[in-house]
Amino acid sequence: MKVASFDVDAQKGFTPLCPNDLPVDCGDTIVNELNTQAELADYRVGSKDCHPPNPLWLADATHPVLTPVENGGPNVDIHWPSHCVIGTKGNELLDGLPKVNEYDFFVFKGIEPDLHPYGACYHDIEEKLSTGVIEWMKSKNVEVVIVGGLAYDYCVKTTAIQLRKAGFIVVVNSEATRSVAESSSLTANTDLAKAEVGVIYGGNSAVKNFIKNLKDYETLLNPLGE
């Protein structure tokens, strides 16, 4: 049973390190958990928001954060502050994570001004244009994906649900992610449960036990390893 660890948008722009981007409380404290999580997996994949400076969804005084974008098309939904702009500090991965080219597979998303995807599996909200990560993991016979990153209630949640729809066993490591807000975090809990995505509490010791139990069950079903 092959396992992949997924670092979703673990970028400085989603942490207090970049207060003018989209800072998530304690978002800069997940690195050790992500690194330990990756040690439990056969493959490590990652993603980054890579936004332009003037996207259609940019919030301002006339268009407050989280209000709907009018006439933005099907792949832009609500207004957000400028964040993770290409070439800025906010676009960088958190210190202590691998370099982009050290991952087994990496996704760059949100580059186009009229596309603001949350999940890392598709370039568009409509989920018509694949980023290739699902196909790549299937080519490697991955069956289980452990997800962490930023933020839990948006990009992590959506990525996990997309992976589950693609047929993977998916769990979110709660210690390897943080939320934008409590209210949207509660909504994410419900959405993940409906999608049959597990949320593991207790950090990587609990994740390790989960993987061991899955592999033990696989051995029980197939003792000859055929």
Side-chain angles (χ1 to χ4, degrees):
M1 178 177 289
K2 296 295 184 181
V3 179
S5 176
F6 206 140
D7 299 350
V8 177
D9 301 358
Q11 294 166 262
K12 294 177 182 177
F14 294 119
T15 76
L17 298 171
C18 293
N20 294 322
D21 275 34
L22 186 53
V24 175
D25 190 33
C26 297
D28 54 338
T29 65
I30 64 173
V31 171
N32 289 340
E33 196 72 19
L34 287 173
N35 286 338
T36 305
Q37 169 181 298
E39 294 173 0
L40 303 174
D42 300 285
Y43 301 105
R44 187 171 194 174
V45 300
S47 68
K48 287 174 68 173
D49 265 359
C50 293
H51 293 313
N54 293 301
L56 295 181
W57 46 263
L58 189 63
D60 56 26
T62 307
H63 306 94
V65 173
L66 301 182
T67 59
V69 176
E70 297 181 4
N71 303 318
N75 293 298
V76 179
D77 55 355
I78 57 178
H79 290 96
W80 290 99
S82 179
H83 61 278
C84 302
V85 175
I86 297 170
T88 68
K89 180 179 178 180
N91 186 250
E92 298 174 4
L93 292 175
L94 294 173
D95 294 339
L97 293 178
K99 296 179 181 179
V100 165
N101 63 341
E102 294 173 340
Y103 282 82
D104 294 300
F105 191 93
F106 206 90
V107 172
F108 303 91
K109 62 189 182 74
I111 299 171
E112 298 296 326
D114 57 347
L115 298 178
H116 189 244
Y118 297 99
C121 299
Y122 296 92
H123 286 295
D124 55 329
I125 292 176
E126 292 184 298
E127 299 186 356
K128 293 181 178 179
L129 182 60
S130 174
T131 62
V133 67
I134 289 173
E135 293 82 358
W136 183 86
M137 286 197 287
K138 288 187 174 182
S139 77
K140 299 297 182 181
N141 298 315
V142 170
E143 296 181 58
V144 181
V145 188
I146 315 162
V147 183
L150 299 168
Y152 171 70
D153 34 356
Y154 288 95
C155 296
V156 169
K157 177 194 78 171
T158 305
T159 300
I161 291 173
Q162 290 173 343
L163 291 168
R164 183 69 189 108
K165 287 179 180 177
F168 299 101
I169 298 169
V170 185
V171 293
V172 176
N173 177 6
S174 67
E175 294 299 315
T177 186
R178 299 290 185 271
S179 298
V180 171
E182 183 178 357
S183 59
S184 49
S185 177
L186 294 174
T187 300
N189 291 341
T190 301
D191 292 343
L192 290 169
K194 287 181 179 178
E196 299 182 337
V197 173
V199 179
I200 294 183
Y201 300 91
N204 279 306
S205 59
V207 174
K208 184 176 182 179
N209 287 334
F210 170 78
I211 294 172
K212 180 180 182 301
N213 290 338
L214 277 180
K215 291 186 175 181
D216 287 347
Y217 183 65
E218 182 184 46
T219 302
L220 180 66
L221 293 178
N222 187 18
L224 298 180
E226 298 177 350

